[in-house]
Amino acid sequence: MIAYAITDLSTLNFNTLDSDLQRFAQKADMIVYRDKVTKYYQKNASLFLAEAKKYNFSKILLHSDYKLAHKLKADGVHLTSSEFSDIQKAKDLGLFIVVSTHSLEEALEAQKLGADLVTFSPVFATPNKGEPKGVEELRKVVSKLSIGVIALGGIMSSEQIEACRKSGAFGFASIRYFK
């Protein structure tokens, strides 16, 4: 089961980038640089990629901007559930694609359009993300897809990770677990 670290302003600081990435690398197989607020995303993404490549992540992704991911030679891009129209464009650039989904229908559509993996969320309660879907719904999504499903949302404990593993999930993703 893979561990996928999603960064945000609470887990990643560019003043402590090297030590932050070292902390992520101790637990995560894959990592995405996500920052929805900075006006310096391109500059920070470049710094993030240069530093992250020093560690043994299987995939290093950027969030949403597939053109920048290609330009900066990231392994891939994590697209949101409103960016399905970018899946093929990103695939055409040779990028690895993870797509955020929140229903079986979205997950099936992302798979059909060529996503390599999907996240399914929120599995557990997490701030500002609505009612949790639960492990049974995760199991249902996993059983209907031929690509890997990464559980996301409220995952902070080894017990939750084990529940996701038992559901058949390919992996889990989290922000707070990697703090």
Side-chain angles (χ1 to χ4, degrees):
M1 178 173 219
I2 68 158
Y4 179 32
I6 299 174
T7 66
D8 77 354
L9 296 176
S10 73
T11 61
L12 184 71
N13 182 321
F14 278 85
N15 293 323
T16 57
L17 182 60
D18 187 55
S19 61
D20 288 348
L21 285 167
Q22 190 172 50
R23 175 176 36 85
F24 284 118
Q26 292 172 4
K27 292 183 178 180
D29 304 296
M30 288 176 39
I31 192 166
V32 60
Y33 172 55
R34 188 184 111 194
D35 183 344
K36 297 179 179 183
V37 297
T38 186
K39 59 184 176 183
Y40 305 110
Y41 187 82
Q42 182 171 342
K43 176 185 168 208
N44 287 351
S46 182
L47 292 169
F48 177 85
L49 285 166
E51 287 300 312
K53 287 178 180 180
K54 296 176 182 176
Y55 296 92
N56 198 26
F57 296 109
S58 64
K59 300 279 187 219
I60 305 168
L61 298 103
L62 296 184
H63 188 259
S64 290
D65 192 337
Y66 71 91
K67 290 177 185 175
L68 183 61
H70 179 257
K71 177 182 173 183
L72 296 178
K73 300 185 180 359
D75 295 313
V77 64
H78 186 135
L79 299 172
T80 69
S81 59
S82 65
E83 296 173 320
F84 278 44
S85 63
D86 291 337
I87 294 172
Q88 189 58 53
K89 296 170 195 168
K91 282 306 259 190
D92 290 346
L93 294 174
L95 294 171
F96 183 85
I97 314 294
V98 177
V99 179
S100 293
T101 67
H102 310 286
S103 68
L104 174 59
E105 294 74 25
E106 283 183 350
L108 287 167
E109 182 68 12
Q111 175 180 271
K112 179 180 154 190
L113 293 172
D116 295 294
L117 296 172
V118 296
T119 61
F120 178 72
S121 69
V123 175
F124 301 102
T126 190
N128 306 312
K129 297 298 181 181
E131 192 68 27
K133 309 288 185 189
V135 176
E136 284 308 312
E137 189 65 20
L138 171 63
R139 186 182 329 273
K140 179 181 170 186
V141 172
V142 167
S143 74
K144 302 287 185 188
L145 268 67
S146 58
I147 61 173
V149 177
I150 299 173
L152 173 62
I155 300 170
M156 297 174 49
S157 71
S158 56
E159 293 80 18
Q160 290 169 317
I161 293 167
E162 182 61 15
C164 293
R165 186 193 65 74
K166 286 181 178 177
S167 77
F170 178 75
F172 77 95
S174 184
I175 295 172
R176 294 178 292 162
Y177 177 78
F178 297 100
K179 276 188 174 181

